[in-house]
Amino acid sequence: QKEVEQNSGPLSVPEGAIASLNCTYSDRGSQSFFWYRQYSGKSPELIMFIYSNGDKEDGRFTAQLNKASQYVSLLIRDSQPSDSATYLCAVSNSGYALNFGKGTSLLVTP
Amino acid sequence: DAGVTQSPTHLIKTRGQHVTLRCSPISGHKSVSWYQQVLGQGPQFIFQYYEKEERGRGNFPDRFSARQFPNYSSELNVNALLLGDSALYLCASSFSGGGSETQYFGPGTRLLVL
């Protein structure tokens, strides 16, 4: 079973701080990496995807990928209470299925 | 444009019954994937369909089946329901379902088996 591991949290950060969410994966053939946000009782919503080593920035979000270390992270700058949600890391190899971690619960406190 | 739509939103069944869940992908998308999300876990892949053909299947029993129609909508069928089938069933839409493509999720169908 190819694993995607995330710390379940909860990760608590004060409003305005940087939240750092981490994910490791076991399949070295993985090629595509996705971060989804899921509010309680709702479906996952895409935040970012990254395919190449390095950083990718989109607004307050930065995804970081290190294939050698099999590690992908998501940084959220200037965290807001509305960012409080579960963040799901998903990994895909050359196939079609997304392999998800269990998610990290983020709580941004005012 | 409309996103992915799923019906029904909620469903209550009893053990042994059968259930059919429906999904319509984003306009122009030809691939539909189904996932099961149990409380506290990430979504687990069940099926992917592309151009009406099953492209892949996850580690689920034969009680689970699906199909895709010419208009690219899809149905997920589950027979002989078990209590453990209680979950949020998610449909995801993508253009062709390739591994590098983003999958966009619908609102889900919440199934409770009593």
Side-chain angles (χ1 to χ4, degrees):
Chain A
Q1 176 70 18
K2 300 188 169 78
E3 301 284 341
V4 178
E5 300 285 347
Q6 294 182 258
N7 188 326
S8 61
L11 173 66
S12 182
V13 300
E15 184 175 355
I18 296 175
S20 178
L21 304 161
N22 305 314
C23 172
T24 59
Y25 59 95
S26 63
D27 182 5
R28 286 198 171 273
S30 299
Q31 298 183 355
S32 306
F33 307 86
F34 303 86
W35 284 99
Y36 286 85
R37 176 175 62 196
Q38 187 172 28
Y39 292 111
S40 180
K42 301 295 185 181
S43 65
E45 169 193 14
L46 179 74
I47 298 176
M48 291 191 71
F49 57 87
I50 186 167
Y51 305 142
S52 303
N53 278 328
D55 294 0
K56 179 181 179 182
E57 186 174 320
D58 184 1
R60 295 187 297 114
F61 299 96
T62 299
Q64 299 175 317
L65 175 61
N66 184 327
K67 290 186 177 180
S69 301
Q70 295 175 243
Y71 177 93
V72 58
S73 65
L74 180 71
L75 301 178
I76 307 175
R77 290 181 299 281
D78 188 24
S79 294
Q80 301 297 310
S82 59
D83 294 326
S84 298
T86 296
Y87 289 80
L88 295 164
C89 172
V91 175
S92 176
N93 58 20
S94 57
Y96 38 80
L98 291 177
N99 189 11
F100 283 86
K102 292 183 179 181
T104 298
S105 175
L106 173 66
L107 177 63
V108 181
T109 55
Chain B
D1 282 343
V4 181
T5 59
Q6 292 187 245
S7 64
T9 55
H10 294 83
L11 206 49
I12 299 175
K13 293 285 189 179
T14 57
R15 282 178 298 174
Q17 285 189 312
H18 163 270
V19 68
T20 297
L21 310 181
R22 295 178 175 84
C23 170
S24 291
I26 293 169
S27 178
H29 283 190
K30 300 180 180 180
S31 180
V32 168
S33 301
W34 287 95
Y35 291 83
Q36 180 196 64
Q37 187 176 25
V38 174
L39 195 63
Q41 303 292 318
Q44 272 204 291
F45 174 74
I46 309 176
F47 286 111
Q48 187 183 86
Y49 276 77
Y50 174 64
E51 292 280 15
K52 303 184 294 295
E53 297 290 326
E54 181 184 305
R55 175 178 277 169
R57 181 187 185 112
N59 188 23
F60 279 81
D62 291 344
R63 299 185 296 108
F64 289 76
S65 64
R67 56 179 176 167
Q68 186 177 33
F69 300 100
N71 66 353
Y72 303 111
S73 67
S74 178
E75 283 183 353
L76 175 69
N77 295 282
V78 186
N79 292 322
L81 285 166
L82 302 174
L83 296 179
D85 295 331
S86 296
L88 178 67
Y89 288 85
L90 295 161
C91 172
S93 164
S94 60
F95 180 71
S96 67
S100 61
E101 286 191 5
T102 299
Q103 296 186 20
Y104 298 92
F105 285 90
T109 294
R110 195 165 297 278
L111 172 65
L112 178 61
V113 182
L114 301 177

